[in-house]
Amino acid sequence: MAIVFSLFIALTVLAPALSSAQTTRTVTVMADLAHGESDKYLNYIMGNITFVKWIVNNDMLTPDKLADVDILLIGQPTVAFSADEINAIIDWLSKGNKALWVGGDSDYGNGYQTIQIVNNLMEAIGSKLRLEQGAVYSNYNGTYTYGGSDWPVIAKAYYRMLAFVEPDNRPDLYTQILSAGISKPILMHGPTCVIWVDSSGNYHDPVTDITSDLIRLVYFHYAHIGVNYANWAPLVYDPVKYSKDENTFVGYMAEYWGDKNVIIVLSGESIYGDYEPAWASSYYGIPLDGPRWVTNFITWLATIVTSRVTTTVTSTETFTTTATTTVTSTTTFTTTYTTTSTTTTVDWTTTGVVAGVLVLIIIIEGVLLARRPGKK
């Protein structure tokens, strides 16, 4: 298909031109199935997103297995990572130019174990991203305006959450790729939300409080917090205070390590292996942009690991920005960014061109949207 050829050219020819130190290559993506993850829809994802090389891991993660991997996907693990595996991931990330995505779950049933496994992994690798100890639900009967249309926020049940791709405007990190061509919600079936923790161990609400190395990608709207597991309480969102369907939560969030050109993404549900993964193109009669979202997401990760050219500088600054979320009426969240660590500057000579080409390709050619689950 033309999309496959075009994206392959963009990622393997144009992107490496950003740095003389890079050579033409194909991005390698490893999907992990060694920690109790289901492979539901993974074959559809790999069969449609062909501009990368896919590897499926069914055994213990080791330095040798990760050696040639650019992007590691871990979709809703139910088996904990060993100390050796965690060290292998840490060593892999330390080499730079890597992307790690981990998908979580709510605390319904045995989901609390996934939350614990994921949060332990995030802490061990030095990430500030965490899953909230609970679930995101909604009984809201109204709609949310998105992409010029009014959409329900659930797929006919309080736990079948619909989420909306609304990435922070970060041209330095090509976030325009994520929402290109998307006009419908995506499915997050029985999710939790993403929060973050600072170096002092304090947990934060990313909707209103965020640092400059964090990027919000996907939101829930008109939702509330629920708790299913009796032996814990949410870390940020008090279920009494957040009991009404009037809240916004973050479904996907990224953390960027500028000194290593590493992007880490955490989500409250999975793109593959979930009860009904985010790849879904429709659910209970509601059309979804799942295939486009997953394709955009992999494209974004591949763009970052191949085309970022950074020079490390150190600065300390505090600044404020305003993010606007449109609901039935417009609600404005004031977000305070505090930067006290390493930031980066970018050589934009050809980076913007590559990102623009990728977005244009996605919009014009549709990024395989016609492919629904069940087709390959």
Side-chain angles (χ1 to χ4, degrees):
M1 293 179 64
I3 182 65
V4 174
F5 178 77
S6 300
L7 284 171
F8 179 82
I9 293 298
L11 288 171
T12 62
V13 178
L14 292 178
L18 292 168
S19 171
S20 59
Q22 291 180 310
T23 57
T24 301
R25 61 183 177 84
T26 300
V27 171
T28 298
V29 181
M30 174 182 281
D32 184 60
L33 294 179
H35 297 86
E37 305 98 328
S38 164
D39 65 351
K40 187 173 183 178
Y41 292 172
L42 181 57
N43 284 339
Y44 302 147
I45 293 172
M46 295 190 298
N48 283 279
I49 303 176
T50 56
F51 59 87
V52 297
K53 175 184 177 182
W54 288 94
I55 299 173
V56 176
N57 178 59
N58 290 292
D59 204 351
M60 182 176 179
L61 291 169
T62 65
D64 286 344
K65 286 186 177 180
L66 291 171
D68 297 322
V69 173
D70 301 293
I71 300 170
L72 175 60
L73 307 178
I74 302 172
Q76 206 172 83
T78 59
V79 175
F81 296 82
S82 69
D84 286 344
E85 288 180 304
I86 290 174
N87 287 333
I89 295 172
I90 292 172
D91 180 66
W92 172 73
L93 291 171
S94 72
K95 299 182 188 310
N97 301 312
K98 306 298 182 186
L100 170 66
W101 164 78
V102 183
D105 199 358
S106 73
D107 66 343
Y108 177 77
N110 292 326
Y112 74 93
Q113 295 175 338
T114 292
I115 293 176
Q116 291 173 328
I117 290 167
V118 170
N119 283 349
N120 288 341
L121 175 62
M122 292 293 103
E123 180 179 9
I125 66 174
S127 172
K128 61 177 65 172
L129 301 175
R130 298 290 188 273
L131 295 177
E132 179 59 290
Q133 296 181 164
V136 175
Y137 295 139
S138 181
N139 292 300
Y140 186 66
N141 292 321
T143 59
Y144 176 72
T145 301
Y146 178 79
S149 300
D150 293 333
W151 296 95
V153 298
I154 55 174
K156 300 183 179 179
Y158 69 94
Y159 53 88
R160 300 182 195 132
M161 295 298 300
L162 301 182
F164 299 86
V165 180
E166 299 167 307
D168 288 336
N169 182 23
R170 292 291 300 270
D172 58 319
L173 293 173
Y174 327 122
T175 55
Q176 68 272 23
I177 291 173
L178 291 161
S179 56
I182 291 183
S183 59
K184 298 185 283 291
I186 63 173
L187 180 67
M188 295 185 72
H189 191 288
T192 187
C193 56
V194 184
I195 57 175
W196 67 278
V197 62
D198 62 30
S199 58
S200 298
N202 301 310
Y203 293 94
H204 297 264
D205 176 359
V207 176
T208 57
D209 183 13
I210 202 167
T211 53
S212 59
D213 56 345
L214 298 177
I215 311 98
R216 298 160 297 193
L217 311 181
V218 175
Y219 288 90
F220 304 106
H221 296 290
Y222 293 120
H224 67 268
I225 291 293
V227 178
N228 298 287
Y229 183 52
N231 295 329
W232 68 14
L235 299 167
V236 170
Y237 301 112
D238 182 338
V240 175
K241 181 179 178 181
Y242 292 89
S243 63
K244 296 181 180 180
D245 291 324
E246 58 187 18
N247 302 290
T248 295
F249 304 107
V250 176
Y252 285 68
M253 188 159 68
E255 179 180 3
Y256 182 66
W257 297 353
D259 58 334
K260 295 290 186 181
N261 190 39
V262 165
I263 193 84
I264 298 171
V265 184
L266 184 60
S267 61
E269 266 298 344
S270 187
I271 61 175
Y272 70 87
D274 182 19
Y275 183 88
E276 184 68 15
W279 178 262
S281 58
S282 66
Y283 203 56
Y284 280 83
I286 300 171
L288 304 169
D289 261 333
R292 188 187 297 269
W293 158 246
V294 177
T295 303
N296 286 7
F297 182 57
I298 299 299
T299 302
W300 180 60
L301 298 179
T303 302
I304 289 178
V305 301
T306 58
S307 64
R308 184 89 169 156
V309 181
T310 62
T311 302
T312 301
V313 295
T314 301
S315 67
T316 300
E317 62 176 334
T318 300
F319 57 99
T320 300
T321 187
T322 299
T324 301
T325 300
T326 303
V327 289
T328 300
S329 59
T330 299
T331 302
T332 301
F333 301 102
T334 300
T335 305
T336 300
Y337 291 80
T338 303
T339 302
T340 57
S341 58
T342 301
T343 57
T344 60
T345 58
V346 184
D347 178 358
W348 289 103
T349 306
T350 52
T351 300
V353 174
V354 173
V357 169
L358 288 169
V359 172
L360 189 59
I361 290 169
I362 292 168
I363 293 174
I364 293 175
E365 302 197 46
V367 193
L368 310 175
L369 249 199
R371 301 289 183 97
R372 292 174 176 252
K375 294 184 179 180
K376 200 168 181 179

